[in-house]
């Protein structure tokens, strides 16, 4: 088995965000990888108007999923659920989708349809550059309040601005229709409140709740690792 981690919006260096869960999996002989998302500037092209968007993110993740035939669990966080919905569709090696405080879009839905039409207060949107990002001064209190000081200190260096066009681009496929799925509700999440997560999770085949903030793979890596290891025998 292998695990493919798909990180959320406005961050870069996915391997850092997932490193605690990835280390625990490695100790149990499970390999993992976190693809770079072009819309976050991780492919050498700066994010912004006319730059990479959802299509490029989907292609990047899909390429990694097709690189090998080992049974694969796709773990998507927040915006990553939008990407994974299309990227994992029709890939035979994908055995399970795990959505962490994330979205399960239907075909034709976009990220913007999961909000109320106004930018979240913790986001800074710049129409001139066509980018958006997390307000650094709100990062810890909104997303990392249950993480230790090491994570809280290091995390700002792994933020980035992202192309705002990803919020309005619809997905062309919905892998959760055909692939078993588990939704991990993070009950202490201040970015995406639990009540909203539970609404999103209605489309998942199974729902698990964890008393954690937005990044449980950093604050409670063992719990996340155990969940993923429990899915090793998943069959389609």
């Amino acid at each position: 088995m292998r695990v493919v981690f798909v990180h959320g919006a406005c961050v870069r260096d996915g391997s850092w965000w997932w490193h605690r869960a990835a280390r625990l999996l490695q100790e149990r002989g499970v390999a993992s990888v976190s693809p770079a998302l072009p819309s976050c500037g991780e492919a050498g092209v700066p994010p912004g108007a006319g730059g990479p968007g959802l299509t490029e993110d989907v292609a990047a993740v899909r390429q990694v999923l097709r690189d090998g035939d080992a049974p694969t669990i796709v773990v998507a966080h927040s915006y990553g659920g939008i990407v994974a919905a299309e990227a994992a569709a029709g890939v035979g090696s994908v055995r399970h989708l795990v959505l962490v405080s994330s979205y399960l879009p239907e075909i034709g839905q976009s990220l913007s349809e999961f909000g109320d039409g106004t930018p979240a207060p913790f986001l800074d949107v710049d129409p001139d550059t066509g980018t958006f990002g997390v307000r650094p001064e709100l990062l810890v209190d909104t997303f990392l309040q249950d993480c230790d000081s090491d994570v809280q200190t290091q995390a700002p260096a792994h933020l980035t601005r992202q192309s705002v066009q990803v919020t309005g681009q619809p997905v062309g496929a919905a892998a959760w229709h055909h692939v078993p799925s588990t939704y991990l509700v993070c009950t202490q999440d201040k970015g995406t409140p639990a009540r909203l997560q539970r609404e999103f999770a209605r489309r998942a085949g199974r729902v698990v709740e964890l008393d954690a903030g937005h990044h449980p793979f950093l604050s409670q890596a063992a719990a996340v690792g155990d969940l993923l290891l429990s899915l090793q025998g998943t069959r389609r």
Side-chain angles (χ1 to χ4, degrees):
M1 186 185 86
R2 70 167 178 161
V3 172
V4 174
F5 292 114
V6 185
H7 69 67
C10 305
V11 302
R12 59 180 178 84
D13 308 326
S15 60
W16 182 83
W17 292 95
W18 298 103
H19 74 278
R20 291 187 172 178
R23 183 171 63 242
L24 292 174
L25 292 176
Q26 185 177 24
E27 291 172 355
R28 298 292 293 274
V30 177
S32 64
V33 62
S34 181
L37 299 186
S39 73
C40 293
E42 294 185 291
V45 179
L54 177 62
T55 299
E56 289 77 14
D57 288 349
V58 168
V61 173
R62 196 171 181 83
Q63 180 176 342
V64 171
L65 292 177
R66 286 179 164 173
D67 183 18
D69 55 5
T72 299
I73 295 174
V74 180
V75 185
H77 178 234
S78 196
Y79 161 74
I82 301 291
V83 179
E86 184 169 348
V91 180
S93 62
V94 176
R95 298 291 192 268
H96 208 98
L97 300 175
V98 177
L99 295 306
V100 182
S101 190
S102 190
Y103 311 96
L104 284 80
E106 184 56 272
I107 296 171
Q109 276 192 304
S110 65
L111 179 61
S112 62
E113 294 181 48
F114 290 92
D116 62 4
T118 60
F122 49 78
L123 293 178
D124 169 59
V125 180
D126 185 349
D128 292 334
T129 62
T131 64
F132 71 113
V134 173
R135 297 181 184 275
E137 69 274 16
L138 299 179
L139 173 63
V140 171
D141 287 346
T142 305
F143 298 111
L144 302 169
Q145 82 279 5
D146 61 332
C147 293
D148 59 45
S149 60
D150 285 345
V151 167
Q152 292 177 352
T153 300
Q154 296 171 28
H158 301 281
L159 292 178
T160 189
R161 299 193 69 80
Q162 184 172 4
S163 172
V164 76
Q165 63 185 332
V166 300
T167 64
Q169 294 174 318
V171 301
W176 54 269
H177 277 300
H178 310 288
V179 179
S181 58
T182 296
Y183 194 107
L184 179 59
V185 173
C186 302
T187 62
Q188 297 303 314
D189 191 340
K190 296 182 180 180
T192 306
R195 60 178 178 80
L196 292 180
Q197 295 177 57
R198 293 182 182 115
E199 287 293 321
F200 305 155
R202 289 183 177 184
R203 290 171 171 169
R206 175 190 178 206
V207 180
V208 178
E209 298 207 358
L210 184 64
D211 188 25
H214 194 65
H215 295 87
F217 36 87
L218 287 171
S219 63
Q220 298 190 43
V224 174
D226 287 345
L227 172 62
L228 299 181
L229 290 169
S230 74
L231 300 173
Q232 287 190 85
T234 298
R235 294 290 183 269
R236 295 186 63 171

